[in-house]
Amino acid sequence: MATRVFPRLISLLAVALLAACQQGTPAQGDAPTAKPKLSYEAGVMAVLQERYGSTVQLQGQWTQQLNDADLGQARPVHRDICADQSIKVQNGNYRMLAICTTYDDASPIELGSTDFIVLQRAADDGISIAAELLGQGSGTGGKPGTVTILQMGADVWGFQVDDELVVVGAAMRNRAWYVFDGGKTLSSAGWLRSHLDDRNAIDCNASGNCSHGRLDLNFDATPDNSQPQLANWPLRVQEKGRGCAGAANKTHSIAYDSAQARYLIPPSMQIESCD
């Protein structure tokens, strides 16, 4: 009788073990679906959409409504990627993006705004934000200044912003730099007055004698790459025109101070008028 019982017990155990194995194995249709890998451009778009919403575009403008605390209501703005360049810094691959915001129905003296963003590209084309500097004001009439991207050292790149100021009786243009060196920061590296003309300004003294301004001055600044191995290139500035001391035509070299992460711009290149 035992010879009949044991085979039956073995058969029952085998059936139970088989059922347990089948329960622990997910059905083929229930297997988790692998998340599709985004292409590089799609990854860039996904990062920007997370920041600016679904209407963002890599080319052309998009419209948004922003809450304006001063107005107490939503305000229409136009945005676009106004500068875009892929770079290599310290063997890393990055993409520098400037997102310009233009405010609709702006007053003549209102600034526009620019977000400076540096994205890092991984070996598998994954995208992350390496550094950013947001909401930098420039320009007039709600429109920000013109942004260009240029190399500013052996392993340093920067955003350069040129804009014009609205000042009664004077025409002023500024040039500013925002520097990225492959680290986790993007630094505001200084600015100078690229043009100043106050010929339409009228200055009257206490006795009632009035005179027009006498300034018509330009400071044309470019990175000096004559020693390309330098970590941060100095600025070569050509000063021309008529300044407070008379005619001017000379060249300056403006050093970069790594401790302060900015160019040491002398006050004479940031003047608004003569004393």
Side-chain angles (χ1 to χ4, degrees), residues 1-227:
M1 187 171 181
T3 57
R4 296 178 185 174
V5 172
F6 283 127
R8 183 172 181 181
L9 286 173
I10 292 171
S11 298
L12 290 173
L13 286 171
V15 171
L17 286 171
L18 179 60
C21 291
Q22 289 176 340
Q23 288 176 0
T25 303
Q28 190 169 358
D30 296 335
T33 304
K35 191 175 182 179
K37 182 177 179 294
L38 294 176
S39 68
Y40 170 66
E41 289 295 317
V44 172
M45 178 69 84
V47 171
L48 294 177
Q49 285 178 334
E50 184 176 358
R51 172 67 58 78
Y52 298 103
S54 60
T55 58
V56 70
Q57 300 183 100
L58 293 180
Q59 294 183 343
Q61 285 191 332
W62 69 90
T63 303
Q64 288 183 278
Q65 297 284 329
L66 295 185
N67 290 326
D68 191 316
D70 294 331
L71 296 177
Q73 61 185 17
R75 181 181 186 184
V77 299
H78 286 82
R79 281 183 163 140
D80 69 303
I81 297 176
C82 50
D84 181 354
Q85 185 164 331
S86 297
I87 63 169
K88 179 170 282 190
V89 177
Q90 299 177 4
N91 297 320
N93 293 307
Y94 299 89
R95 186 161 174 175
M96 299 178 69
L97 297 170
I99 292 84
C100 287
T101 299
T102 299
Y103 297 90
D104 293 3
D105 304 321
S107 68
I109 63 172
E110 187 171 5
L111 302 179
S113 178
T114 306
D115 292 344
F116 301 107
I117 299 175
V118 181
L119 302 178
Q120 184 167 13
R121 181 177 185 176
D124 63 353
D125 282 346
I127 302 297
S128 61
I129 295 178
E132 60 185 356
L133 194 58
L134 309 179
Q136 300 302 298
S138 64
T140 59
K143 183 177 181 180
T146 301
V147 183
T148 53
I149 297 171
L150 67 168
Q151 189 170 4
M152 303 188 73
D155 265 325
V156 174
W157 287 74
F159 296 98
Q160 178 177 284
V161 181
D162 289 281
D163 69 346
E164 186 167 352
L165 300 181
V166 176
V167 182
V168 176
M172 294 184 183
R173 290 194 293 272
N174 292 338
R175 176 167 289 179
W177 297 273
Y178 301 85
V179 170
F180 173 70
D181 63 1
K184 296 297 182 183
T185 59
L186 186 60
S187 303
S188 175
W191 67 275
L192 55 70
R193 189 85 67 201
S194 57
H195 174 75
L196 174 58
D197 173 2
D198 69 348
R199 289 174 295 178
N200 292 325
I202 299 177
D203 185 22
C204 299
N205 59 24
S207 60
N209 294 320
C210 299
S211 62
H212 289 278
R214 61 182 187 271
L215 292 172
D216 189 359
L217 196 59
N218 293 290
F219 293 102
D220 184 20
T222 56
D224 181 358
N225 62 356
S226 59
Q227 299 182 70

